[in-house]
Amino acid sequence: MASHPSLVLLNRHLAIKENSPFTLIIDSLSQSACHLLREFAHRCNGLVVYLSYETTVKPSYATSFMDCSRAEQKEIQEFVHAASTGHSTLSKTLVIIDSLNYLDDGTHASFVSAIVQSSLSIVACYHSNVPSAHSSGYPLPLKLLSYVALSIFEVMPLEDGDPEEMAGKMSSFQFPTNRELNLEKFRLAFTNRRKSGKSSTNAFIVDTNLHTYEIYRPRKDEENQEDEELLKDLTTFNLTTSSKQKLAREQVELPFMEAQTELGKFGGAIVYEFEKDDDYDEEDPYEDPF
């Protein structure tokens, strides 16, 4: 299984051996990207520059650390350049940005492009559950970053249950109990874009504690859900069904099910059962109940 092309590609990206100057990691409240960032640092053979907007504590795997919460873009650019100079060109320098959510609206693309260099590999995280204010007529930050990035990693818990139910609970900060959330073993959706413009998406199970990766095998109900995802953008009509609609559909009593009951023993005859409000006159020769 280790020789599978998708696993080989995943290993090369985690070891920053692929030509991907900007890698985007999308996480959520149910599964943080911190474990995947540690895996990138574990596989990196060069320097690790950590640009932080969320913490003032330097991670143990970071070679250089900068608190960017109050720093200007020029200061950050000069720091990255100084931290990566004088290093061997045999291995790239890994630049980790713990969150891009704190950037001003409309500055995400310019911020990334100002840091990008041929000797650097930028891995940045974006929290999908954090609301963001954006200008009308301008794309959302996540959509813009997804367009710029050549590699996109989306981390998810192994068992996320109903996506609609989970999203509703996460939006109101209601963390469900007895659910495997924010663990070192998680599900990973990896999207890779080639120079030709084609992209491929593969799903994996990553264990950052054992540093093992395997291909994710979805269950049948998840495969049906993926089939419905393909119908979303085909027409202007909504061809998909939600979980509540599926439950309501299953509870509908179909007419042909009466054939399995007592009424089915009459075969093809017309069966009519009188009710208390029916007016039947036995002396009327033209009124035939059958």
Side-chain angles (χ1 to χ4, degrees):
M1 185 64 69
S3 60
H4 195 276
S6 60
L7 285 173
V8 174
L9 185 62
L10 176 64
N11 276 276
R12 289 185 58 84
H13 273 81
L14 292 177
I16 59 174
K17 293 182 179 180
E18 284 290 321
N19 186 19
S20 180
F22 175 54
T23 299
L24 178 65
I25 301 178
I26 305 174
D27 68 350
S28 61
L29 292 174
S30 58
Q31 183 62 49
S32 173
C34 62
H35 302 299
L36 185 58
L37 292 177
R38 292 195 187 98
E39 190 67 15
F40 269 100
H42 173 76
R43 299 292 304 275
C44 178
N45 295 325
L47 301 178
V48 178
V49 180
Y50 197 97
L51 305 180
S52 175
Y53 285 91
E54 297 183 327
T55 181
T56 58
V57 180
K58 176 183 177 182
S60 58
Y61 55 79
T63 308
S64 303
F65 176 85
M66 180 181 183
D67 182 8
C68 303
S69 57
R70 297 183 179 180
E72 298 292 336
Q73 179 175 327
K74 186 177 181 180
E75 298 178 13
I76 299 174
Q77 184 178 358
E78 293 176 353
F79 174 80
V80 173
H81 178 72
S84 59
T85 54
H87 179 60
S88 175
T89 57
L90 298 178
S91 57
K92 291 185 177 181
T93 299
L94 175 63
V95 179
I96 295 178
I97 306 175
D98 60 357
S99 178
L100 292 174
N101 297 78
Y102 297 88
L103 298 178
D104 295 333
D105 183 31
T107 62
H108 297 80
S110 60
F111 176 82
V112 173
S113 61
I115 305 176
V116 168
Q117 299 179 18
S118 59
S119 60
L120 304 180
S121 181
I122 301 175
V123 177
C125 178
Y126 190 89
H127 309 312
S128 59
N129 290 121
V130 177
S132 60
H134 65 283
S135 305
S136 59
Y138 199 80
L140 293 171
L142 181 56
K143 182 174 292 186
L144 181 61
L145 292 171
S146 300
Y147 178 79
V148 174
L150 292 180
S151 304
I152 303 175
F153 293 87
E154 185 175 1
V155 292
M156 296 161 285
L158 286 178
E159 301 293 337
D160 54 357
D162 187 359
E164 296 180 0
E165 180 183 358
M166 178 64 69
K169 290 183 177 180
M170 291 295 102
S171 61
S172 57
F173 297 98
Q174 297 179 2
F175 291 88
T177 57
N178 300 326
R179 299 290 289 272
E180 298 180 350
L181 305 180
N182 292 307
L183 298 182
E184 294 181 345
K185 188 175 183 180
F186 52 88
R187 187 153 50 102
L188 177 67
F190 170 41
T191 301
N192 177 54
R193 293 194 179 100
R194 303 176 183 177
K195 293 181 179 179
S196 60
K198 296 182 180 179
S199 62
S200 60
T201 302
N202 298 280
F204 304 93
I205 295 179
V206 178
D207 190 343
T208 57
N209 187 26
L210 301 176
H211 308 291
T212 58
Y213 325 116
E214 58 182 276
I215 298 177
Y216 176 71
R217 306 292 182 184
R219 298 191 298 268
K220 290 185 177 180
D221 54 348
E222 293 180 352
E223 290 179 353
N224 295 334
Q225 182 179 358
E226 291 179 358
D227 294 338
E228 291 187 356
E229 292 291 333
L230 298 176
L231 301 175
K232 280 188 175 181
D233 300 327
L234 291 181
T235 65
T236 57
F237 299 97
N238 184 13
L239 301 178
T240 60
T241 54
S242 62
S243 57
K244 294 182 180 179
Q245 292 173 338
K246 290 180 181 179
L247 180 61
R249 182 181 61 187
E250 294 174 355
Q251 294 177 349
V252 174
E253 295 184 2
L254 301 177
F256 60 82
M257 295 302 295
E258 292 186 358
Q260 311 298 328
T261 62
E262 186 69 19
L263 297 176
K265 66 181 182 180
F266 293 99
I270 299 176
V271 180
Y272 180 79
E273 292 183 350
F274 289 96
E275 299 180 357
K276 62 179 182 178
D277 297 331
D278 290 344
D279 184 13
Y280 173 66
D281 188 2
E282 296 181 355
E283 298 180 357
D284 188 355
Y286 297 102
E287 186 166 355
D288 187 2
F290 305 103

